[in-house]
Amino acid sequence: MVKILGGSLVLIAAYLFGMKLMEPAAEHIRLLEEGDLLYRILESEIRNTRTPLPILFGELSDRTNTRWHNFFLSFLSH
């Protein structure tokens, strides 16, 4: 019984350790997916409404609270 409990605890610990190691990669994937979405929005706005880029970059920076916010906001200062 103790061996089963110990083996279960080792498996649970290994699973949790793997999940903790995967967190930075998962965050990177989320940022890339959000960047792809923002790129598609940017592309469709330019193509369909011909919104000026400074206004569009401001709108895109307002849509996100991740690193993309500062990325698009940096284009407004120039």
Side-chain angles (χ1 to χ4, degrees), residues 5-26:
L5 179 63
S8 298
L9 288 175
V10 167
L11 288 175
I12 292 170
Y15 172 77
L16 292 174
F17 182 68
M19 293 300 288
K20 190 68 174 172
L21 285 176
M22 190 186 71
E23 280 180 4

Side-chain angles (χ1 to χ4, degrees), residues 39-50:
Y39 173 76
R40 290 177 192 274
I41 292 170
L42 180 69
E43 182 181 33
S44 68
E45 289 288 327
I46 290 171
R47 182 174 290 152
N48 298 330
T49 63
R50 306 217 185 268

